[in-house]
Amino acid sequence: MDAVRVSALRHSLAGTGWPERAGAFAAALRGSVTRRSASGLLLVGTPRYEPWHLAAHLSDEAAYAGLPELAPTLLRHSVPAGAPEHLACGLPRLAGARAGATVLLVAPGPADAPLLERLDDARRAGAVLLALDDGDPELADLAHERLTVPGAAPEPFELVQHLVSSATTAAPARSRLSRLAERLTSSPVLRW
């Protein structure tokens, strides 16, 4: 989705709270993958839903913003033979998620028990778990950050993914204190 369409989408959703919620979730995602100890973004769906569309948008946003840390590795429940390298990472890669890793679950339906166990293992190993889901009660205590799209039909769920991906590269707001600190610690300007 191009910038004009995203802007139109944000405008049409003004007053609903969705742009703000998506922005807050995107800020948490960006903060997690750009922190000093970050070691990568793993993107996983459910056996019935692969978030390849979000993976493509995050990769585009990462390239556009010069934030390679934002480009995800898509983990697939079933990798078809001959899949291109960027689409050939299976779910076993989730077992290697440790401190520094960020795992983003995108689930418009309930996650099954084996996936929940793998996500719990990754979280216990120190990975940050973010969830974009339909309100699955199993994720309430599991996810560190969560954006819930209740009663997620395919189209609204995809629109929220567009809001999140576009908001990940929005410049974070700087406080007056951070601007002052930057001015005080910068080298003086030599005018002559």
Side-chain angles (χ1 to χ4, degrees):
M1 186 175 276
D2 60 38
V4 172
R5 289 182 183 164
V6 170
S7 178
L9 176 60
R10 284 189 183 131
H11 181 70
S12 69
L13 293 173
T16 65
W18 278 110
E20 295 79 14
R21 287 193 296 263
F25 185 77
L29 172 59
R30 180 182 174 141
S32 181
V33 300
T34 58
R35 69 188 189 280
R36 186 175 306 194
S37 61
S39 63
L41 173 60
L42 302 174
L43 179 61
V44 64
T46 64
R48 296 176 54 132
Y49 182 82
E50 283 188 344
W52 61 266
H53 193 105
L54 181 58
H57 281 293
L58 286 174
S59 294
D60 289 347
E61 292 291 339
Y64 171 74
L67 290 170
E69 311 89 351
L70 194 56
T73 299
L74 178 62
L75 303 183
R76 303 178 75 186
H77 289 263
S78 178
V79 178
E85 185 178 335
H86 69 287
L87 296 175
C89 291
L91 213 48
R93 174 92 182 266
L94 191 55
R98 300 278 178 262
T102 300
V103 177
L104 173 55
L105 170 67
V106 180
D112 62 6
L115 177 58
L116 289 170
E117 286 176 27
R118 288 177 186 230
L119 293 170
D120 187 47
D121 290 345
R123 185 173 197 247
R124 289 176 190 264
V128 173
L129 178 63
L130 305 173
L132 174 57
D133 69 287
D134 69 341
D136 185 348
E138 296 290 332
L139 295 170
D141 295 328
L142 190 58
H144 290 99
E145 294 286 337
R146 186 174 183 202
L147 180 59
T148 301
V149 185
E155 186 176 331
F157 200 77
E158 292 291 325
L159 291 176
V160 171
Q161 289 179 63
H162 282 286
L163 287 174
V164 168
S165 65
S166 67
T168 56
T169 56
R174 292 179 39 205
S175 69
R176 287 178 53 201
L177 183 59
S178 68
R179 289 191 302 270
L180 176 61
E182 184 178 302
R183 281 190 16 221
L184 291 174
T185 59
S186 64
S187 299
V189 177
L190 298 175
R191 300 198 188 272
W192 303 98

